[in-house]
Amino acid sequence: MYAVWACRDGLDEGLEELERAHLRALALSRAEPEALARRASDEYGWPAGFLARYFEKLRYHFGPRERQGLLRFFELAHLAGELDVVPELRFVDVERVA
């Protein structure tokens, strides 16, 4: 399972700030996992222990293997007629943004 945030072409303004905010939120959630679980429990009603274990299992890496899997998904969706074309994957340069 992947979580993706995306924007259409031409909306580059503010994209780097959004990526920096995302990276700060990720760092904070990893630094204070118990606090994150408690806040999420208060917000959504799930037990904090359950949420802590759930958050612990999430993967935040999207490397070559994951990219290959997403491209394969797009290829299959194209073959099934769900996509007109296989979209190009483009990413924010995290090293440049961080």
Side-chain angles (χ1 to χ4, degrees):
M1 177 184 292
Y2 302 108
V4 175
W5 56 267
C7 69
R8 66 179 186 261
D9 286 337
L11 294 180
D12 296 339
E13 187 175 329
L15 194 56
E16 287 187 18
E17 292 92 313
L18 179 60
E19 179 66 10
R20 279 193 289 275
H22 172 76
L23 292 173
R24 283 192 305 271
L26 177 58
L28 180 61
S29 69
R30 287 183 161 179
E32 301 178 19
E34 297 85 13
L36 173 64
R38 283 193 305 275
R39 284 194 309 268
S41 177
D42 291 344
E43 179 77 20
Y44 300 106
W46 292 85
F50 168 79
L51 291 170
R53 288 186 300 280
Y54 172 77
F55 293 147
E56 197 176 86
K57 303 287 185 209
L58 294 176
R59 294 177 55 201
Y60 296 95
H61 176 75
F62 194 75
R65 184 174 180 203
E66 291 81 11
R67 290 177 188 198
Q68 182 181 14
L70 183 57
L71 279 173
R72 182 65 180 145
F73 174 81
F74 286 151
E75 290 167 355
L76 292 172
H78 174 67
L79 289 172
E82 297 297 324
L83 291 175
D84 293 334
V85 297
V86 175
E88 173 190 1
L89 297 181
R90 295 184 322 221
F91 300 89
V92 172
D93 182 355
V94 175
E95 281 74 34
R96 184 173 55 83
V97 173

